[in-house]
């Protein structure tokens, strides 16, 4: 399961995806993956909870999350100058983990929690550094008419970078959005054929 293909799956959820010229897709995918990996290299060998302590990020555990448009939320993060907090919906994380089945195996709840914490840590780290991969990358033209040109940033690049951070930091075999697809397939919300078709389409767009 190729990182670039899974990253492009994530990018395809961006509202501006169809505004990105096909020959620029690799630029957004590769730059975002690199941002996550290079940040992970700064923290090689460290423990995620230790990073939370050192950076004064509070972890708050609660039972289960609300459903949002049929998607189970793993938690919510609050970022402000006064402090950062990650709220973890433990029951949701455990349920998502047990239903993320591929090749007969599934994530443990602890693994799924670590992925969530690593992913959120990347967002907070970028916030604390006062920069974002989204702003560092070139905007795309959203609208062009009679010499008027409006550009916008591709927000999903931040998600790709956070996935790449979690994968590299935790030494995972796949970009973690793969497990989201496993969950959708296991729970019958997506067919394996639809997933294969999506992967095929994304692979073709990158070649
Ligand atoms: Zn995120």
């Amino acid at each position: 399961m190729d990182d670039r293909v899974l990253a492009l799956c994530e990018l395809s959820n961006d509202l501006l995806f169809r505004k990105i010229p096909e020959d620029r897709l690799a630029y957004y995918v590769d730059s975002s993956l690199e941002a996550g990996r290079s940040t992970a290299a700064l923290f090689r060998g460290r423990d995620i909870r230790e990073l939370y302590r050192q950076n004064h990020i509070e972890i708050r555990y609660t039972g289960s999350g609300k459903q949002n448009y049929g998607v189970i939320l793993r938690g919510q993060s609050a970022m402000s100058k006064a402090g950062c907090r990650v709220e973890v919906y433990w029951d949701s994380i455990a349920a998502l983990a047990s239903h993320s089945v591929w090749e007969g195996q599934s994530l443990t709840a602890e693994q799924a929690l670590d992925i969530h914490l690593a992913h959120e840590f990347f967002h907070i780290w970028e916030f604390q550094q006062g920069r974002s991969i989204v702003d560092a990358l070139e905007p795309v033209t959203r609208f062009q008419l009679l010499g008027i040109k409006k550009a916008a940033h591709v927000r999903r690049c931040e998600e790709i970078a956070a996935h790449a951070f979690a994968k590299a930091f935790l030494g995972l075999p796949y970009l973690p959005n793969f497990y989201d697809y496993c969950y959708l397939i296991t729970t019958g919300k997506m067919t394996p054929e639809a997933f294969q078709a999506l992967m095929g389409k994304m692979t073709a767009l990158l070649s």
Side-chain angles (χ1 to χ4, degrees):
M1 218 57 71
D2 187 71
D3 282 0
R4 299 177 80 228
V5 175
L6 284 167
L8 190 58
C9 289
E10 182 68 59
L11 193 64
S12 73
N13 295 322
D14 198 289
L15 291 172
L16 294 175
F17 183 66
R18 291 168 69 185
K19 302 281 182 184
I20 304 173
E22 233 171 82
D23 62 355
R24 296 295 282 157
L25 290 172
Y27 161 74
Y28 290 101
V29 161
D30 293 334
S31 309
S32 307
L33 287 171
E34 178 50 31
R37 289 169 185 155
S38 58
T39 303
L42 300 174
F43 303 111
R44 191 167 286 140
R46 305 280 294 281
D47 177 78
I48 191 65
R49 284 161 190 80
E50 178 200 332
L51 293 183
Y52 270 69
R53 271 194 302 279
Q54 276 176 357
N55 293 282
H56 311 289
I57 308 164
E58 184 196 345
I59 307 176
R60 193 178 288 176
Y61 294 92
T62 62
S64 61
K66 308 146 251 270
Q67 290 230 354
N68 194 3
Y69 302 107
V71 177
I72 303 178
L73 295 176
R74 294 175 178 83
Q76 272 178 320
S77 297
M79 291 183 263
S80 75
K81 292 241 159 47
C84 296
R85 187 182 71 234
V86 171
E87 200 175 338
V88 170
Y89 302 149
W90 176 244
D91 294 348
S92 306
I93 285 183
L96 282 166
S98 65
H99 289 99
S100 300
V101 183
W102 78 102
E103 292 170 5
Q105 33 178 342
S106 65
L107 290 173
T108 65
E110 282 73 20
Q111 284 172 322
L113 174 61
D114 282 356
I115 292 171
H116 179 64
L117 290 178
H119 180 107
E120 294 303 311
F121 178 79
F122 179 83
H123 291 320
I124 294 172
W125 174 254
E126 289 228 301
F127 173 78
Q128 290 181 338
Q129 304 305 301
R131 56 144 208 248
S132 161
I133 179 63
V134 170
D135 298 328
L137 298 179
E138 284 170 29
V140 294
T141 304
R142 188 163 57 84
F143 171 85
Q144 195 167 14
L145 186 72
L146 304 172
I148 304 166
K149 201 168 162 179
K150 287 207 190 305
H153 288 284
V154 184
R155 308 234 59 95
R156 283 278 164 172
C157 290
E158 172 77 16
E159 290 309 302
I160 297 171
H163 292 323
F165 174 84
K167 183 192 170 193
F169 181 80
L170 298 168
L172 301 169
Y174 308 114
L175 215 61
N177 62 325
F178 171 66
Y179 305 111
D180 296 335
Y181 289 111
C182 296
Y183 172 82
L184 292 175
I185 294 167
T186 306
T187 54
K189 295 184 173 79
M190 187 181 206
T191 64
E193 292 74 25
F195 178 62
Q196 287 307 327
L198 176 68
M199 295 296 280
K201 192 173 147 201
M202 295 300 142
T203 303
L205 279 174
L206 278 174
S207 56

